[in-house]
Amino acid sequence: MDHSSIAPAIFYWGTPVVLVTTTNEDGTANIGPVSSAWWLGNRCVLGLEGNSQTTLNMIRTKQCVLNLPDETMVSNVNALARTTGTEEVPEIKIKLGYRYDKDKFKTSRLTPEDSLKVKPPRIRECPVQMESEMIGIHELMKDGPSELKGFLMAIEVRIVQTHIEEKLRLAGHANRVDSDKWKPMIMCFQKLYGLKNGELASSTLAEIEEETYRLPV
């Protein structure tokens, strides 16, 4: 197998798309599409720009909802792709074609619904919704050029309430998701993908009882 060296500008090898809802200063809701997210236990780490409205709202309120769209929601996600909830659009985003959008629910044709434990709304159309509280924040690229200071953040959130569509529940289990039915939207090098081919092979890890991984709250 031959390999060659390259220098990618981005490293989006494939992660789920997350629509992060937060609360603006005036009480309205913002939706921030995010493609850098990973989970461990009941924690999620989000990669965000330091000056995004989502980041500013999370720092101020310490709350958000992680809404996961499925592969049928491409048009909704694309409607949000170059919008920002920041009224004064940063110069770098202007160059990338972003525009200020006050009502992202209307723009994306999505529906807000009340959360149970946090103030930001859930997105009704998303099959998975995770109400969350911000736990910590880490600045990335501290070793980089001074102009990048504060540009990228890794934000840790704790999931306090999870909601899923009934059809995604694994029969016979109170707290498990049927992975054959869950079809997340995946961002891979700026393209959106779905899981069309199903399971490739049974993982040896699947032999471990899932509840073994549950951590103390």
Side-chain angles (χ1 to χ4, degrees):
M1 185 179 295
D2 295 329
H3 292 76
S4 59
S5 297
I6 65 172
I10 58 175
F11 289 86
Y12 285 126
W13 300 106
T15 51
V17 174
V18 185
L19 300 181
V20 183
T21 46
T22 55
T23 304
N24 295 316
E25 287 186 327
D26 63 1
T28 60
N30 182 64
I31 306 176
V34 175
S35 55
S36 296
W38 59 274
W39 286 260
L40 198 59
N42 67 343
R43 305 300 170 102
C44 179
V45 176
L46 301 168
L48 292 162
E49 292 183 9
N51 61 1
S52 76
Q53 191 63 36
T54 296
T55 303
L56 298 175
N57 286 346
M58 288 179 65
I59 292 173
R60 190 185 70 258
T61 68
K62 304 296 190 293
Q63 294 185 340
C64 68
V65 180
L66 311 180
N67 304 274
L68 302 187
D70 66 15
E71 58 188 20
T72 69
M73 298 177 62
V74 171
S75 63
N76 307 98
V77 171
N78 275 336
L80 294 167
R82 290 189 179 184
T83 63
T84 176
T86 306
E87 193 164 356
E88 294 185 11
V89 184
E91 186 65 29
I92 187 172
K93 287 192 173 182
I94 292 176
K95 291 180 179 179
L96 294 173
Y98 279 71
R99 62 178 177 80
Y100 170 62
D101 191 327
K102 178 64 175 176
D103 192 348
K104 293 189 182 182
F105 273 100
K106 181 179 179 180
T107 297
S108 59
R109 303 177 305 282
L110 295 172
T111 311
E113 65 179 355
D114 291 340
S115 296
L116 301 183
K117 295 186 177 180
V118 299
K119 185 173 181 179
R122 295 176 281 154
I123 297 176
R124 179 178 299 170
E125 290 80 2
C126 287
V128 179
Q129 310 154 335
M130 291 166 280
E131 301 180 31
S132 306
E133 296 176 343
M134 192 182 94
I135 299 300
I137 186 168
H138 174 76
E139 181 182 337
L140 301 180
M141 295 187 175
K142 288 183 178 180
D143 60 335
S146 59
E147 60 266 27
L148 291 180
K149 182 174 177 58
F151 180 61
L152 294 177
M153 301 291 180
I155 299 179
E156 177 188 354
V157 302
R158 179 171 65 93
I159 298 163
V160 297
Q161 187 77 51
T162 302
H163 312 267
I164 65 170
E165 276 191 317
E166 283 293 325
K167 67 180 182 181
L168 297 182
R169 299 185 66 167
L170 183 63
H173 297 268
N175 296 300
R176 293 187 60 179
V177 175
D178 189 332
S179 55
D180 286 333
K181 295 179 180 177
W182 168 226
K183 306 298 181 185
M185 185 184 299
I186 303 295
M187 168 70 80
C188 180
F189 288 100
Q190 300 193 92
K191 294 183 178 181
L192 299 174
Y193 291 87
L195 302 182
K196 297 179 180 178
N197 298 317
E199 184 178 15
L200 300 177
S202 180
S203 168
T204 302
L205 290 175
E207 298 172 8
I208 302 173
E209 168 55 45
E210 190 169 307
E211 282 295 318
T212 305
Y213 293 103
R214 189 180 297 278
L215 299 175
V217 176

